[in-house]
Amino acid sequence: MKENKTLEFKQTITNTFLKTVSAFANYEGGRIIFGITDQGQIKGLEDIAGACLEIENKINDSISPQPDYALQAQDSDQTIILTVNSGPNKPYLYKSKAYKRNDTATIEVDTLEFTRLVLEGKNLSFEELPAKNQDLSFHILEEKFKEHTGIEAFNKDILKTLNLYSNTDGYNHAAAILADRNEFPGIDMAKFGENISIIHKRATFANMSALAAYTQAINLFQDYYQYEEITSSVRKKVELIPEAAFREAIANALIHRVWDLNAQIRVLMFNDRVEVISPGGLPSGITKENYLAGKISVLRNPILSNVFYRLNIVEIFGTGVLRIIQAYTKSVRKPIFEINSQMIKVILPILEDAPEMTEDEKAVYRLLSKTMPKPISEITSSVTFGKSKVSGILKAMAKRGIITIEGTGRGTKYRL
């Protein structure tokens, strides 16, 4: 057993554990086990009953508001398990400061994170706050609604129905994000050549309606990853990367990103892939596993999500990731999702039909790149079978012309 983001060991009872209580109550919850060293060695405590009382008094006297916690004394090894649950009345403060977990460390939150905790404690989101600029126009939003819903008149009553306007506070941040002009970041796109030092195209769609940025991003994507093929009198559209997957990735980035951070959604376009990077990790209450499985949908920006849903841009039921995966059903190359506390990255590779291969060969095939050859050690570390089997697979695939072998001896590398 090792310390992690939701588990901490304390050999003795000192006030430092109170920072972790604050962190657990502010975020996902967790456990602190007293009587164990940082390395996981059980030492035990001398007076279990007295220690429980001391822990309880310290929490009650030092953490505000009162967190939800439970103490469990372990007579078998003289340890105490303190379980702290994530609370609804955020922020939970220790000495007027709020804390969070950063891997196995507990650190003070910054000003931006503190503001988010305050909003969460009030059951509010950033998009609900009143917009600083109340002089807004919505021609793009009006055009989209008339096109997709068939309404004839677009007025403040509709904006109220969409929760974009109230008589008391006026327009909120969600309204400003959808307004024709605003002060919010948008989408920064770049098309690279053979490496990141060669930029063929750079375009930034910011300070405009999120709907306009969405459309502009798709138009630029189409320029590089779609073409028409004419056979006899038949004209056929060919997609190098599924447009449906890119639409989902961009729409999800817009409606699920953190908007209180002045950072652009970044779209990096390469010859063999597109990367969509959205500021902000997963919203509170959803794990990476649930996100990838599409089992739970937690909306960071429900007002924006509702507008995109009404315009048939997204499904609001958490199916975005599954739709991206589904677009690659027939391709040997699959989308990749990278997630951390700061961002979500979706990597959409070029579609590639798989030659006739075994499942083990497909696993090796997916690891290889056309442009960046890999040594056998790097391939072996990413599959579930050993080096000798990988070697045999590589030789068989090279013999059939599926891959190319470069170099000799220890310098041997493989690519598609």
Side-chain angles (χ1 to χ4, degrees), residues 70-129:
L71 286 167
Q72 183 179 1
Q74 306 289 309
D75 294 329
S76 59
D77 56 11
Q78 294 293 100
T79 61
I80 298 172
I81 300 175
L82 168 62
T83 302
V84 182
N85 297 314
S86 177
N89 302 314
K90 301 175 177 65
Y92 292 86
L93 307 177
Y94 170 59
K95 292 186 176 180
S96 302
K97 297 179 180 179
Y99 292 86
K100 68 176 181 179
R101 292 286 280 176
N102 184 14
D103 196 11
T104 60
T106 301
I107 61 174
E108 183 182 350
V109 303
D110 57 25
T111 303
L112 179 59
E113 194 74 17
F114 188 89
T115 301
R116 290 173 182 167
L117 287 172
V118 172
L119 290 176
E120 189 175 348
K122 294 180 179 179
N123 200 27
L124 291 172
S125 61
F126 176 78
E127 65 169 1
E128 295 177 87
L129 298 178

Side-chain angles (χ1 to χ4, degrees), residues 238-250:
V238 179
E239 294 185 328
L240 299 177
I241 292 176
E243 182 178 323
F246 182 76
R247 285 179 177 270
E248 286 289 343
I250 287 294

